Amino acid sequence: MRFTLAAVALSSLVGSVLSAPTASDLEARWEFEREIVQRGASDRSLELLAQLQNTQAGPAPQSIEEALASITLVLQIGDGIYDLAVALIAAGFAPGDISSILSTYSIGDNSPFNINLRSPQGDRIFPKKSPSDAPYSIPEIILRGAIRIPSSFTYGQKPPLLMVPGTGSTGGISFGGNFRKLFKNVAYADPVWLNIPGFLLNDAQENAEFVAYAINYISGISQNKNVSVIAWSQGNLDAQWAFKYWPSTRAITSDLISISPDFHGTVTALPSCPGYPTESCNPAIVQQDYNSNFITTLRSNGGDSAYVPTTTIYTNTDQVVQPQDGTGASAYLLDARGVGVTNNQIQTVCPGLPPGVSYSHEGMLFNPVSHALAVDALTNPGPGQVSRINMATECLKLAADGLTTADIVATEGNNIISVVAIIVYPAKVNAEPPIKAYAA
């Protein structure tokens, strides 16, 4: 989805700002865009999509133990994100009708078109909150519309928590079967989430604008309280870019909780784009290559160190982000500014025990250690610390307390949704997007 098309569509819906877009409005819009996508899709993309659609879905796992056993097998036999998606469908993790994924997951809690009329208190956010902030290139109506604020949000009575999704996903999808459920009725976190247009497949520099704006906006409508951020996958790159180039976000962010982050990109990015650069690829995937200009720019001048207290949580069995082991892990973040960082590889935290064996990229969202460290970070100053957690108990669990088999299946299904979004994304490129002038 292009921001210009989204801006026109949204502006027509809120010209009088009297009512939000209906499900039928959004379905019609996505149907129109899906037709454009498939008319312009390459033969290879259509072949991959057909392969997914024609895969016979197996029966869903009936227990958390069965689900994790299936995931372990899939991680062993899969070869690349497309084969993994096929294997997950066959293993019973299919999220419904593949052909309707983009329309089904673009309304309601996954909508990128939300009507947030409340004005933030304090300094103006747009076009800049601070003279040192980078300029926004995306219209404010689009930046604000991507923030999904549930009816339960307390506007500062509880500490606000912004959830940022990963590549090929929305906040509603990424966190629906895990942290959204786990943090729904707690005193220490009040979740909102981002549904960034284009399923985070657009230029990652533009994706980061949504994070920077949302941190300032949510703080401004929450009595100027600090915001904590929990991000998955590319969401962490976008958050780190936002902290680097929108310094106004740093002082109002209490924590960054990073699940499966790729702060140094991944060597598996370009293999996800068959034939690149002869065949085009998604901008954000090209940018997440281990040696991309985006990653190099992000990590330069101290960008490989935290800007806010940061808790990173990752697994060396990650099928999407590699390398992901030890101090050479892509998730590993330095602490040159002394803000506080803990790097938590589950194989080290729970060696040989259930949470530290074989979890997928998306499986870290329901890993019990991820939840325990997130809670610890949100309820204490600084990053999450295993020394404050009863690891003897947490390391015997298979999933975070309060999650069901259906939650694990839904979370693991993120992989399939992401792959479909990657295949049908319309605005593919044959070269990495140029670095924005403010960062060049």
Side-chain angles (χ1 to χ4, degrees), residues 160-327:
L161 175 67
L162 175 67
M163 297 182 167
V164 187
T167 306
S169 191
T170 68
I173 299 167
S174 292
F175 303 106
N178 46 82
F179 285 103
R180 275 179 54 201
K181 179 176 182 178
L182 294 169
F183 289 158
K184 186 174 183 180
N185 295 308
V186 299
Y188 52 81
D190 202 1
V192 302
W193 53 92
L194 279 170
N195 297 325
I196 296 174
F199 282 55
L200 266 82
L201 293 165
N202 292 317
D203 186 340
Q205 298 167 101
E206 295 177 351
N207 295 337
E209 294 186 29
F210 288 91
V211 181
Y213 183 87
I215 290 172
N216 278 311
Y217 180 74
I218 293 301
S219 174
I221 63 171
S222 301
Q223 305 171 46
N224 290 319
K225 300 283 182 66
N226 271 24
V227 177
S228 289
V229 178
I230 186 165
W232 174 54
S233 192
Q234 185 206 144
N236 293 286
L237 282 177
D238 301 335
Q240 186 75 348
W241 189 274
F243 292 136
K244 183 174 184 178
Y245 293 110
W246 281 267
S248 64
T249 60
R250 302 176 196 172
I252 58 172
T253 302
S254 294
D255 283 283
L256 171 61
I257 300 162
S258 296
I259 312 295
S260 302
D262 57 338
F263 292 120
H264 203 146
T266 173
V267 297
T268 70
L270 294 186
S272 301
C273 297
Y276 179 84
T278 304
E279 291 193 26
S280 56
C281 185
N282 313 83
I285 291 182
V286 177
Q287 290 169 311
Q288 288 177 85
D289 179 63
Y290 197 82
N291 296 308
S292 72
N293 293 329
F294 174 78
I295 293 296
T296 300
T297 303
L298 173 66
R299 295 180 66 83
S300 67
N301 301 317
D304 57 352
S305 283
Y307 292 93
V308 300
T310 302
T311 309
T312 78
I313 312 161
Y314 56 101
T315 174
N316 66 10
T317 56
D318 193 313
Q319 82 280 18
V320 173
V321 178
Q322 287 293 331
Q324 202 68 305
D325 191 58
T327 58

